[in-house]
Amino acid sequence: MLTTTKAAERQAASALVEGRNSYISDLQAWHKRLQEKQVELESTFDLRKVNKWSVNVWDDYPEDGTTYAYVEMDAVPDVVCVDLLMHLLAYVKSNRVINDSDCAFSLRFYDSSSVYPALIGSREGEYSMFKRWEMTITGANYESLDLVVQELKKAPDFQGKPFKIYSES
């Protein structure tokens, strides 16, 4: 069937608007699901069920030497994760050995949908997406990162629970 150029342009513009609206709806739904999960985690979290705090210090990083550490426990809500990471950050800031490693440390909230928005809307893509608190480690190399991990293993307990610090990617 033949169509005019104007009709084809209208159809393309309509398809673009429909696609954009679908994407925005999918993005909003993903954020809403994660928010609802956090509300549920906060209401059901039981500190008595925690034996150790599992913290992964990511050991694969870009050339600028920035990596991160995060709480690798699905049943722990963000409000606890940020407190736990602030506890570790305070320990790091007061630790002479780590401070001599030339690494800089800070805290951030990372939302992978802001970096990989194209993953929204597919089950496989969304499976690898997350929002979480992270302690960033800047200026690291493999040697200094190993030192940081070894020193973090000596961090004092948080809420009466010890840490399980490890480094893997």
Side-chain angles (χ1 to χ4, degrees):
M1 171 160 108
L2 294 176
T3 184
T4 65
T5 302
K6 290 249 185 234
E9 288 172 350
R10 279 192 302 272
Q11 287 176 329
S14 176
L16 179 65
V17 168
E18 183 180 332
R20 183 182 307 124
N21 289 342
S22 176
Y23 170 74
I24 289 170
S25 176
D26 289 345
L27 182 62
Q28 289 172 330
W30 181 77
H31 282 283
K32 184 177 181 195
R33 283 192 306 273
L34 267 63
Q35 181 182 16
E36 289 169 351
K37 180 182 176 190
Q38 284 301 311
V39 169
E40 179 184 344
L41 285 174
E42 287 177 27
S43 68
T44 61
F45 179 69
D46 185 353
L47 181 61
R48 294 172 298 189
K49 293 182 180 179
V50 174
N51 294 322
K52 292 182 179 183
W53 301 109
S54 294
V55 176
N56 186 359
V57 180
W58 198 250
D59 65 357
D60 187 18
Y61 44 89
E63 295 204 12
D64 71 353
T66 299
T67 189
Y68 50 88
Y70 64 97
V71 179
E72 195 165 41
M73 300 172 73
D74 293 335
V76 178
D78 286 342
V79 295
V80 176
C81 290
V82 70
D83 288 346
L84 185 154
L85 291 172
M86 286 185 356
H87 173 82
L88 286 177
L89 185 60
Y91 174 73
V92 162
K93 298 278 184 172
S94 69
N95 186 299
R96 185 180 166 286
V97 174
I98 294 177
N99 287 322
D100 288 347
S101 70
D102 292 327
C103 295
F105 301 86
S106 62
L107 206 58
R108 72 177 178 193
F109 187 77
Y110 186 83
D111 176 354
S112 64
S113 73
S114 67
V115 180
Y116 304 106
L119 296 177
I120 291 289
S122 77
R123 181 185 302 197
E124 298 81 16
E126 288 184 16
Y127 177 76
S128 64
M129 297 181 67
F130 55 87
K131 292 166 51 168
R132 67 179 175 216
W133 285 98
E134 298 175 341
M135 180 174 67
T136 61
I137 306 165
T138 305
N141 57 41
Y142 288 107
E143 183 179 301
S144 62
L145 190 62
D146 187 49
L147 172 68
V148 169
V149 170
Q150 295 311 313
E151 289 299 314
L152 283 175
K153 288 180 178 183
K154 300 174 187 174
D157 292 358
F158 176 71
Q159 294 186 351
K161 309 290 180 170
F163 287 98
K164 176 185 175 189
I165 307 285
Y166 50 95
S167 183
E168 63 184 28
S169 54

